[in-house]
Amino acid sequence: MLPADVPLCHLGPSVLLLLQLLLPSASAFFPNIWSLLAAPGSITHQDLTEEAALNVTLHLFLEQPPPGRPPLRLEDFLGRTLLADDLFAAYFGPGSPSRRFRAALGEVSRANAAQDFLPTSKNDPDLHFDAERLGQGRIRLVEALRETVAAAKALDYTLARQRLGAALHALQDFYSHSNWVELGRQQPHPHLLWPRQELRSLAQAGDPTCSDCEELSCPGNLLGFTLLTSGYFGTHPSKPPGKCSHGGHFDQSSSQPPRGGINKDSTSPGFSPHHMLHLQAAKLALLASIQAFNLLRSRLGDRGFSRLLDITPASSLSFVLDTTGSMGEEINAAKIQARHIVEQRRGTPMEPTQYVLVPFHDPGFGPVFTTSDPDSFWQQLNEMHALGGGDEPEMCLSALELALLHTPPLSDIFVFTDASPKDAFLTNQVESLTQERRCRVTFLVTEDPSRAQGRARREVLSPLRFEPYEAVALASGGEVIFTQDQYIRDVAAIVGDSIADLVTLPLEPRVVVAERPLVFRVDGLLQKVTVRIHGEVSSFWIRNPAGVSQGQEEGEGPLGHTRRFGQFWMVRVNDPPQSGTWEIQVTAKGTPRVRVQAQTSLDFLFHFGIPMEDGPHPGLYPLTQPVAGLQTQLLVEVTGLGSRGGPGGPLPHFSHVVLRGVPQGAELGQVPLEPRGPPERGLLAASLPPTLLSTLGPFSLELVGQDGVGQGLHRVAPQPCAVVPVLLELSGPPGFLAPGTTAPLSLRIASFSGPQDLHLRTSAKPSFALTSNLSRVHLEQNESTWGRLWLEVPDTAASDSVVMVTVTAKNGEASMMPPTHAFLRLLVQAPAPQDQLPAPAYSTDPVLNTSRPAFHFFTSVTQGGAGGGLVGNPWWTTFGVMLLLLSLGPW
């Protein structure tokens, strides 16, 4: 816990799911890279957040030499832009994927930017250091950092990143919204992150601070004084006489004397009256952000801090296990694979970062077991045995939902069962949760639906009873593999393969068609290509671009090694695979399944957003899925560009994205990709066509381009997407949940595509009592409504436990529109008694603190000062070499 002298003023977490299109908001550094369309050359919150994180990551790597590899040398990074791909290649080895690290930074950056868009935060002056509420702003800032630490220690890193983004937003705003820069300060405020140090020399209510300025640019409008102040924005609170405004076209207060403003958010005088000081404000905001990251590192330790930002190329390992009496072979198979992974990867960069285990049977499921210790995981797994409950169906989807709640994003989850789900009503909800968490689910089912015999059943079950598994696998980018007990140990070997960074190669056509070969393309950046065929196969062959073929015979062949386990075939292609077009011909009864995967560091992340170009915060509001009726952008971040063969080599280039219906693969359209920012950052954007936004079914994203030597590249998003009919926003209370309390939640629903008759369903996991004042809603086009929910937290709720609240909005029973889900993660924490709070871990004097050596951070590291600069980032060149003495004060 943090010291008791910090007032308990909390800022609540929110699900970033509803856009306020009409209400004005307080301004700040512009939110994200999309903002540069309005003010080119400006520094955004995204720039500051990512640059600070990369600095601290570099220093961590310099301090902690990699096992079995030579230590990093600072001089190797002089004069170069810091890139995640380059840092990972230098520390973990060439080709080490930085995808999860960049995804974690994306979570923090989007949570940062969302502070300018969310109705619960954008108009609150305390969260932006506006309206001279500097003391209150410091309280909220420190509280957000405290919540970051608490959530991280509770292993809820998603919530921790949300709170970290909110904290960094406020911290960065201080230097843009206050007059700290105008006072001539060259270093971050020495007390802003140290709550026991008083903020001094603050302007009081009766102190005039600004003179009138009728121009867009107002370099001399601050009165000659040495007090700290900040500008007022809008009408709440109203600006007192003589006080400064925030300024800019959208600030209503700036039209009232004294006119003008003092914000330094951008390089544009139309948005920022003190635009000429933008770079100075950005420099101090960057230094302060680095300082905040290092304070978190000191509180969490290097391992905890690395988990917070996912500074690892490794994935987690999550098992969902049916423990009923017929599951002995399956449980043993899971144990064998887990043991193999633990032993093979222990002490290496690919050692799993987290282990998750959820058992289920009937009528129960859980509890969830999570740990980062492989020995604890193995001990827990080894104690599991198949006991009782030998009939069907079981509570599989409930257990999977629990695993998704505790599994890090971009992970693989493996479900071992021989039974169909009793809780099939959760199918749509679990589908949405897999996409929100970007987790891939693979079901290994030792119950072939074509067999009549099996475990005992209480009732006659439909031959379609496994369809919920098929739906979840399709939505998550996973698969359902039916096998038999005697083969489960061999088939389960895919667990070890799948927790590597695999990409699925697109097939044309997407499904097997009689007497027509499947085609896939291999590029020079792929390795360890694996072909998996599942079904009643009579024969198949694989042909490489040179015309060399290999049939279904087991063992070594000219192209690779083939193994068969019942109706499951696996071909491991020899490395390096030949680049070009490959073919697969399959002859089988029914419709066999074919899946081609390969390892590569060249992949991509994506999310959607709505352009906000006509307000004080031009930027992109982030969304998980596109929304019907709203102009939507696709944002792509290419990872692994450093795999091009060495610094200075030509970069791969993606030119367009192909949209295809799922699962048949019919092309829905092609959209050109436009670069955003320097090419080495790999940021691309595309405007989704209106015809796609009226599509009911799921669709996939396929990036198409060329590598550095002109050969074709194809990468497919691991999960399909879907257009949702309405927007939902679900917001929580300030701070954490306390046992024995009732927490009020806010819900907002908006339609932009026409009349909607919606049925609402709410739930909480664990099953806390949850009530709502809305059950049905009718909305016309461009209409929205608010609702309230009340979550009762029992006295017995465990501290540091995660609660997930879900709201589902579905059209009438006959509607073909998919339901829309909103998820809200909350953390239960029992308040610590005041006399039990720990003593500060570090001296409150930042200058005298000697618990760690001074930290030196290089953002625009150049040979010979500002003359070199960074490729594609000229704004950093004005800073030269930055040296930051870290001061570790307590919270």
Side-chain angles (χ1 to χ4, degrees):
M1 296 296 293
L2 301 172
D5 62 347
V6 181
L8 297 176
C9 182
H10 300 268
L11 170 65
S14 297
V15 175
L16 314 182
L17 294 176
L18 176 65
L19 176 64
Q20 282 278 45
L21 293 174
L22 301 176
L23 297 179
S25 61
S27 192
F29 282 113
F30 283 175
N32 45 41
I33 198 165
W34 190 262
S35 311
L36 301 183
L37 296 177
S42 298
I43 315 309
T44 68
H45 282 290
Q46 179 180 354
D47 292 323
L48 296 169
T49 299
E50 293 179 356
E51 191 72 19
L54 289 169
N55 267 276
V56 178
T57 301
L58 172 59
H59 189 80
L60 187 151
F61 286 172
L62 291 170
E63 278 195 334
Q64 303 286 340
R69 292 181 53 80
L72 270 64
R73 302 184 308 163
L74 182 61
E75 52 266 31
D76 292 337
F77 296 90
L78 296 176
R80 293 169 52 190
T81 302
L82 287 183
L83 297 173
D85 290 340
D86 292 345
L87 288 178
F88 268 55
Y91 189 78
F92 295 112
S96 297
S98 65
R99 186 167 177 259
R100 291 178 180 83
F101 173 58
R102 293 179 68 169
L105 289 188
E107 286 186 72
V108 177
S109 294
R110 288 191 292 275
N112 183 329
Q115 293 295 99
D116 285 334
F117 301 128
L118 289 171
T120 54
S121 60
K122 67 178 184 176
N123 290 321
D124 190 339
D126 294 357
L127 304 182
H128 304 276
F129 281 99
D130 288 331
E132 293 191 323
R133 296 182 64 83
L134 303 175
Q136 297 92 328
R138 198 264 294 270
I139 291 171
R140 303 289 284 272
L141 164 62
V142 170
E143 196 61 41
L145 289 172
R146 293 177 64 187
E147 293 170 0
T148 301
V149 171
K153 289 185 175 180
L155 304 183
D156 191 339
Y157 294 102
T158 295
L159 183 57
R161 290 167 196 149
Q162 291 174 2
R163 305 309 304 129
L164 174 56
L168 291 173
H169 186 100
L171 179 64
Q172 293 159 4
D173 275 359
F174 173 83
Y175 298 96
S176 175
H177 295 184
S178 76
N179 65 330
W180 183 257
V181 172
E182 287 86 345
L183 291 174
R185 307 297 187 182
Q186 300 296 315
Q187 294 294 328
H189 196 295
H191 300 152
L192 206 57
L193 298 175
W194 286 264
R196 290 186 176 178
Q197 297 289 334
E198 181 182 357
L199 295 183
R200 299 172 182 170
S201 301
L202 303 182
Q204 302 302 306
D207 295 330
T209 55
C210 266
S211 61
D212 192 56
C213 173
E214 58 182 347
E215 305 295 332
L216 291 178
S217 183
C218 301
N221 61 335
L222 276 164
L223 300 178
F225 60 91
T226 59
L227 301 176
L228 192 60
T229 185
S230 67
Y232 284 74
F233 185 92
T235 58
H236 302 287
S238 59
K239 182 177 72 173
K243 292 296 185 180
C244 298
S245 288
H246 179 90
H249 289 312
F250 296 93
D251 178 10
Q252 298 179 38
S253 76
S254 64
S255 62
Q256 305 166 9
R259 293 169 295 177
I262 63 170
N263 91 73
K264 297 161 283 294
D265 294 339
S266 73
T267 57
S268 168
F271 288 98
S272 303
H274 281 201
H275 59 95
M276 71 294 297
L277 298 175
H278 175 70
L279 288 183
Q280 290 92 315
K283 172 185 175 180
L284 294 184
L286 174 65
L287 289 170
S289 299
I290 293 172
Q291 195 175 53
F293 272 116
N294 275 291
L295 285 170
L296 290 172
R297 182 184 169 196
S298 74
R299 298 309 303 268
L300 297 173
D302 287 346
R303 184 178 179 88
F305 182 77
S306 296
R307 292 285 306 280
L308 174 65
L309 295 184
D310 241 343
I311 307 176
T312 173
S315 176
S316 65
L317 180 61
S318 292
F319 283 167
V320 178
L321 282 178
D322 185 343
T323 58
T324 48
S326 58
M327 284 292 294
E329 283 297 324
E330 292 84 346
I331 293 175
N332 287 334
K335 290 178 181 179
I336 291 171
Q337 287 306 313
R339 191 65 177 175
H340 176 72
I341 292 168
V342 167
E343 292 178 347
Q344 185 182 54
R345 304 192 180 195
R346 187 193 297 270
T348 72
M350 297 309 294
E351 180 178 347
T353 57
Q354 185 169 327
Y355 301 87
V356 179
L357 181 61
V358 183
F360 71 92
H361 46 88
D362 180 37
F365 61 93
V368 62
F369 176 79
T370 63
T371 182
S372 58
D373 178 21
D375 294 323
S376 297
F377 173 73
W378 169 246
Q379 180 180 355
Q380 186 75 16
L381 180 61
N382 203 39
E383 292 175 356
M384 286 195 171
H385 302 283
L387 296 172
D391 52 7
E392 184 182 3
E394 309 291 350
M395 300 294 287
C396 181
L397 295 186
S398 296
L400 176 55
E401 184 180 41
L402 185 60
L404 284 162
L405 179 60
H406 293 274
T407 298
L410 300 175
S411 296
D412 280 278
I413 300 176
F414 302 93
V415 182
F416 291 79
T417 186
D418 63 354
S420 57
K422 183 178 183 180
D423 43 8
F425 63 90
L426 290 175
T427 302
N428 289 137
Q429 185 168 311
V430 173
E431 287 180 70
S432 292
L433 189 56
T434 63
Q435 294 178 334
E436 192 263 345
R437 301 292 290 165
R438 301 286 170 94
C439 285
R440 182 169 52 193
V441 182
T442 298
F443 295 87
L444 292 100
V445 184
T446 48
E447 166 69 278
D448 192 322
S450 65
R451 289 186 295 147
Q453 68 272 18
R455 63 154 86 185
R457 303 184 177 103
R458 289 183 294 272
E459 58 189 77
V460 177
L461 297 177
S462 165
L464 303 178
R465 62 191 181 278
F466 293 107
E467 281 198 347
Y469 297 163
E470 302 281 4
V472 171
L474 178 65
S476 70
E479 58 186 322
V480 181
I481 299 175
F482 292 100
T483 186
Q484 298 170 3
D485 282 349
Q486 64 263 41
Y487 301 124
I488 184 61
R489 295 191 183 188
D490 294 309
V491 174
I494 68 168
V495 173
D497 295 336
S498 295
I499 66 169
D501 269 79
L502 297 178
V503 295
T504 299
L505 305 186
L507 297 170
E508 180 59 39
R510 288 296 191 265
V511 295
V512 173
V513 178
E515 300 183 0
R516 179 180 174 185
L518 301 173
V519 173
F520 66 95
R521 296 170 182 83
V522 172
D523 59 70
L525 300 178
L526 297 174
Q527 59 181 343
K528 297 185 178 179
V529 175
T530 301
V531 178
R532 299 208 294 262
I533 304 172
H534 174 216
E536 297 184 54
V537 177
S538 57
S539 66
F540 71 85
W541 53 258
I542 302 173
R543 179 181 298 147
N544 74 0
V548 178
S549 297
Q550 176 172 321
Q552 74 271 20
E553 295 79 13
E554 290 192 76
E556 290 292 341
L559 300 180
H561 187 268
T562 301
R563 298 185 68 188
R564 178 186 180 183
F565 314 111
Q567 295 185 352
F568 184 80
W569 304 75
M570 181 183 300
V571 181
R572 298 185 186 273
V573 177
N574 297 329
D575 273 336
Q578 185 178 13
S579 297
T581 300
W582 289 61
E583 294 181 340
I584 306 172
Q585 177 75 60
V586 181
T587 303
K589 180 180 178 180
T591 304
R593 308 177 194 201
V594 179
R595 192 177 185 91
V596 182
Q597 293 182 306
Q599 286 190 22
T600 181
S601 59
L602 184 70
D603 201 355
F604 69 98
L605 302 163
F606 71 94
H607 68 278
F608 300 96
I610 303 170
M612 300 284 289
E613 300 173 350
D614 299 325
H617 282 116
L620 201 73
Y621 183 94
L623 299 171
T624 303
Q625 301 282 19
V627 179
L630 285 178
Q631 177 190 357
T632 305
Q633 289 283 322
L634 168 67
L635 269 293
V636 171
E637 184 174 0
V638 181
T639 64
L641 288 174
S643 61
R644 60 190 183 272
L651 289 170
H653 168 70
F654 287 102
S655 57
H656 62 280
V657 59
V658 179
L659 310 168
R660 297 184 184 275
V662 173
Q664 298 301 318
E667 184 172 318
L668 304 177
Q670 298 187 14
V671 183
L673 288 166
E674 299 293 336
R676 296 281 182 246
E680 64 269 20
R681 291 184 68 179
L683 299 179
L684 307 167
S687 296
L688 296 182
T691 52
L692 175 70
L693 298 178
S694 61
T695 300
L696 289 180
F699 62 92
S700 66
L701 302 173
E702 179 181 341
L703 264 62
V704 180
Q706 294 182 336
D707 63 17
V709 295
Q711 299 298 313
L713 287 176
H714 293 257
R715 293 291 184 272
V716 177
Q719 296 174 321
C721 311
V723 179
V724 295
V726 294
L727 270 170
L728 298 181
E729 181 197 51
L730 185 59
S731 301
F736 294 133
L737 305 179
T741 62
T742 298
L745 313 178
S746 297
L747 171 68
R748 188 164 183 178
I749 313 169
S751 171
F752 301 94
S753 60
Q756 304 280 352
D757 284 302
L758 302 171
H759 299 263
L760 302 179
R761 188 176 71 245
T762 62
S763 63
K765 295 293 174 68
S767 298
F768 295 172
L770 180 65
T771 56
S772 172
N773 66 348
L774 287 180
S775 59
R776 297 188 64 178
V777 174
H778 176 81
L779 296 175
E780 295 294 331
Q781 186 170 357
N782 296 324
E783 186 178 6
S784 63
T785 189
W786 283 94
R788 298 282 285 175
L789 293 83
W790 293 269
L791 178 68
E792 296 182 23
V793 186
D795 294 331
T796 56
S799 188
D800 293 339
S801 60
V802 179
V803 181
M804 184 178 69
V805 177
T806 304
V807 175
T808 301
K810 182 169 175 47
N811 279 272
E813 297 297 332
S815 173
M816 298 298 294
M817 294 292 287
T820 305
H821 300 274
F823 303 100
L824 176 64
R825 300 171 68 87
L826 299 164
L827 190 67
V828 176
Q829 268 214 332
Q834 295 295 310
D835 58 354
Q836 293 185 17
L837 288 171
Y842 301 98
S843 164
T844 57
D845 186 340
V847 177
L848 298 180
N849 174 49
T850 58
S851 60
R852 230 181 220 186
F855 286 0
H856 302 275
F857 291 95
F858 299 79
T859 17
S860 165
V861 189
T862 61
Q863 302 274 6
L870 301 182
V871 178
N873 248 349
W875 71 275
W876 295 118
T877 64
T878 61
F879 295 170
V881 177
M882 290 187 177
L883 303 181
L884 175 62
L885 175 62
L886 175 69
S887 45
L888 297 173
W891 292 333

